[in-house]
Amino acid sequence: MRISAIQSKNRLVVSERIQIVVLLVVILLASFGLRVWELGDTALWADEVLTEYRAQAAFPDAVQSILKTIDQTPGYFFMLRMFPTETEFLLRLPSVLLGVLGTVMIMLIIVELYGDLRMALWGGVWLAFNPFHIWLSRTARFYSLIFVLATLISYLFIVLYRRQNNTRAWAAFTIVSGIAYVTHYSLLALPFTQMLFLLGTRSWRLSRRWFIAQVTAALPMLLWLTAMLLNFTSREPQWGEPPQVRDLGMTFWNLTVGYDGGVHWYSFVGLAIALVGLVQGIRRVESYWLLLGGVPLLLVFGVSVTVMDAYIDRYFMVVLPALVVLIAAGWNTLSIRLQEIALVVVVVITSLTVTDVLDSGQHERENWRGAAAYVDPLPGDVLVVDRAVTATVFNRYYSGETLPVIYLSETDQVWTMTASRYWVIYRNPSEDIHRLGTMPEFDPLTSHKCVVSDWLMPRLHWVKDYHEFAGVTVLLLEEQRYEMADNGF
């Protein structure tokens, strides 16, 4: 009987391990599949074209391009130069792989920190099917790398909080933090959150060592800032209207179950599951995760409504690891049966959101293929754009002869040009702070706060034809002469 019981227990253990392995494989396949599906079908949008240029241009030219933008740092772009980037698919693939790596890492750190495999599986499922993380992992930008760095740094910080004399962890924490700070400014939310956490612990010895590590990690960023100031050129602000209080709730919605622009009943079910997990998880893990999940949001919101608007959901990727850990920890306290039901519901809800957007084509931000194909110039026609990147992305998809270009901003050139017709490339100025895909509808023939609108409004009677595409409108204007001097219109 005893031997039979031992054999039965061993079979149960083997069965559980097989189930865990199967679940891990399913999670990783789902994570990769949702991020790579139709990856190269949509045109690059303007920011992705900048990424492409910086990945392929001569190194000095790439550095100069990053310096000119002022609000960006070089880490991600330098990393991308090690990968093939010849097509839309290849350019975006590193972000996909980093997205899958993030799924692996969130499960590994939960196991390492809390020793709970079921909680780790919860975190893995939540991230693998998370629409916010999926959309940003499908974009040739730095957001999935931000998640990886934020997750790793947070893990190392908690390890150091628990075991302050771990020399290897201190070295890794300093190096990875240095890499993070030259990858994106949003990652500066990490040391700010860590400082608040340390003030609460009143561990002066740990705080002193942390401060030394931060000063060391900040050196590469300070060098970059110095180079940027030496190459400083003024730019017109690209921000929209300041956020409202309701935008905080919309951001939580987006970061947890994904916001696609519509209000669906099943999204509220997902939000309820997220809130239950968040409330339950607050007391189960270090308060650092709660601070990371809330402080950056409130800080950026406060700055945006008082000083300068910088509130866009995609900049909050740095808080997503905290939300995943908190929700996973909270649901791990409930009954296994209830957890299984909630997991199935989350997978169904988030899958519906993702597949609906993909099937409807709403994941394309700017349809430059359509816009470029629409332009059919005659000899002497001129292209009118807001800034250089717009002309760059247009010419990437335009198959005709290169047109002379009038830049309305970010240029010192003085134009006096005779033309018969003007093709105006009008990028949608109505930024949706909660969505990455399809831009909100806008009327190009009404006034907006942008240089193209300022140029176009006095010339509405010149408009002969126009066509709206996803994220960009092309207008054809006819007039015999256009003059601009000293940037006046």
Side-chain angles (χ1 to χ4, degrees):
M1 290 289 293
R2 185 175 182 181
I3 294 175
S4 176
I6 292 174
Q7 290 175 338
S8 177
K9 184 177 181 180
N10 288 339
R11 284 195 297 270
L12 183 61
V13 170
V14 171
S15 176
E16 288 179 348
R17 288 178 178 174
I18 292 174
Q19 290 178 9
I20 290 170
V21 171
V22 170
L23 281 173
L24 287 172
V25 171
V26 170
I27 290 171
L28 294 180
L29 287 176
S31 180
F32 179 74
L34 289 170
R35 287 158 177 78
V36 82
W37 183 16
E38 298 182 355
L39 185 66
D41 288 3
T42 57
L44 302 176
W45 62 294
D47 284 5
E48 289 183 302
V49 168
L50 281 177
T51 297
E52 182 181 52
Y53 176 80
R54 294 162 184 173
Q56 298 176 0
F59 187 74
D61 294 335
V63 172
Q64 192 63 30
S65 171
I66 305 169
L67 286 171
K68 285 182 177 179
T69 58
I70 302 174
D71 59 347
Q72 294 180 19
T73 46
Y76 167 75
F77 305 108
F78 288 176
M79 177 210 72
L80 205 62
R81 294 177 70 88
M82 298 184 292
F83 296 88
T85 56
E86 289 76 17
T87 65
E88 288 88 348
F89 179 89
L90 290 175
L91 186 69
R92 291 165 175 157
L93 186 59
S95 293
V96 170
L97 299 178
L98 285 166
V100 177
L101 177 61
T103 306
V104 174
M105 286 186 63
I106 201 70
M107 291 189 288
L108 287 178
I109 72 156
I110 289 175
V111 170
E112 286 291 318
L113 292 177
Y114 306 107
D116 195 313
L117 189 56
R118 185 174 291 275
M119 177 179 165
L121 292 173
W122 246 107
V125 169
W126 197 279
L127 188 64
F129 290 88
N130 183 282
F132 178 77
H133 192 263
I134 289 170
W135 300 136
L136 292 175
S137 298
R138 293 170 56 88
T139 304
R141 300 295 282 171
F142 27 64
Y143 300 107
S144 55
L145 178 58
I146 289 174
F147 182 91
V148 168
L149 292 171
T151 301
L152 182 56
I153 292 171
S154 297
Y155 163 71
L156 291 169
F157 178 74
I158 292 176
V159 167
L160 293 171
Y161 167 66
R162 294 179 180 179
R163 300 189 296 276
Q164 299 181 21
N165 295 320
N166 192 325
T167 303
R168 290 184 178 179
W170 276 113
F173 176 75
T174 305
I175 293 170
V176 178
S177 294
I179 294 171
Y181 303 154
V182 293
T183 296
H184 198 263
Y185 292 124
S186 67
L187 285 157
L188 293 173
L190 294 172
F192 185 80
T193 302
Q194 293 160 12
M195 180 183 66
L196 293 179
F197 178 78
L198 290 172
L199 288 174
T201 63
R202 297 185 179 182
S203 176
W204 307 124
R205 181 172 178 271
L206 175 60
S207 299
R208 185 171 60 254
R209 297 189 68 176
W210 173 85
F211 179 77
I212 295 171
Q214 290 301 322
V215 170
T216 305
L219 291 177
M221 183 187 67
L222 292 175
L223 290 173
W224 175 258
L225 289 175
T226 301
M228 185 187 71
L229 291 173
L230 292 174
N231 291 269
F232 178 80
T233 54
S234 62
R235 294 182 65 206
E236 295 185 8
Q238 303 295 321
W239 310 116
E241 296 295 328
Q244 301 177 21
V245 174
R246 64 179 177 83
D247 286 309
L248 289 170
M250 295 299 298
T251 296
F252 179 77
W253 180 336
N254 200 13
L255 266 63
T256 51
V257 296
Y259 176 68
D260 63 0
V263 179
H264 311 292
W265 66 266
Y266 53 79
S267 296
F268 292 101
V269 177
L271 282 170
I273 294 174
L275 285 170
V276 168
L278 189 63
V279 172
Q280 289 288 112
I282 288 174
R283 295 176 293 176
R284 307 293 175 178
V285 294
E286 288 85 356
S287 60
Y288 167 80
W289 296 112
L290 178 61
L291 290 172
L292 181 59
V295 169
L297 287 169
L298 296 175
L299 179 64
V300 174
F301 179 85
V303 170
S304 296
V305 297
T306 57
V307 182
M308 180 185 71
D309 180 29
Y311 192 101
I312 299 177
D313 280 3
R314 59 180 182 269
Y315 296 159
F316 295 122
M317 179 63 86
V318 69
V319 311
L320 188 57
L323 294 179
V324 172
V325 169
L326 286 166
I327 292 170
W331 273 95
N332 197 50
T333 64
L334 303 177
S335 69
I336 293 177
R337 183 61 176 169
L338 195 58
Q339 289 185 49
E340 291 173 346
I341 294 172
L343 270 179
V344 171
V345 172
V346 167
V347 169
V348 171
I349 288 172
T350 52
S351 297
L352 282 173
T353 300
V354 173
T355 55
D356 180 61
V357 171
L358 287 171
D359 286 343
S360 61
Q362 295 183 45
H363 56 302
E364 183 166 45
R365 185 177 178 88
E366 295 174 346
N367 181 8
W368 288 103
R369 291 192 180 102
Y374 180 75
V375 174
D376 184 19
L378 298 174
D381 285 6
V382 171
L383 199 67
V384 179
V385 300
D386 54 348
R387 51 196 179 115
V389 66
T390 303
T392 301
V393 64
F394 172 81
N395 286 323
R396 187 192 189 281
Y397 291 99
Y398 181 61
S399 58
E401 293 186 8
T402 303
L403 295 171
V405 184
I406 295 175
Y407 301 97
L408 299 178
S409 67
E410 298 180 17
T411 180
D412 296 326
Q413 294 174 303
V414 178
W415 291 92
T416 301
M417 185 180 297
T418 300
S420 56
R421 302 191 307 174
Y422 304 88
W423 295 92
V424 181
I425 309 301
Y426 194 171
R427 292 180 61 204
N428 190 336
S430 304
E431 174 81 66
D432 188 327
I433 63 176
H434 301 298
R435 297 175 65 195
L436 183 64
T438 298
M439 301 280 284
E441 292 184 3
F442 87 106
D443 183 355
L445 303 183
T446 59
S447 179
H448 297 274
K449 293 181 179 180
C450 65
V451 292
V452 176
S453 181
D454 292 342
W455 183 90
L456 182 62
M457 287 301 101
R459 300 168 174 84
L460 285 179
H461 58 286
W462 295 0
V463 176
K464 180 180 180 182
D465 195 11
Y466 73 96
H467 196 285
E468 297 180 47
F469 302 89
V472 58
T473 298
V474 180
L475 301 98
L476 174 59
L477 279 67
E478 286 195 355
E479 171 63 6
Q480 293 304 311
R481 185 174 179 81
Y482 167 72
E483 294 183 356
M484 178 174 71
D486 297 325
N487 290 329
F489 305 135

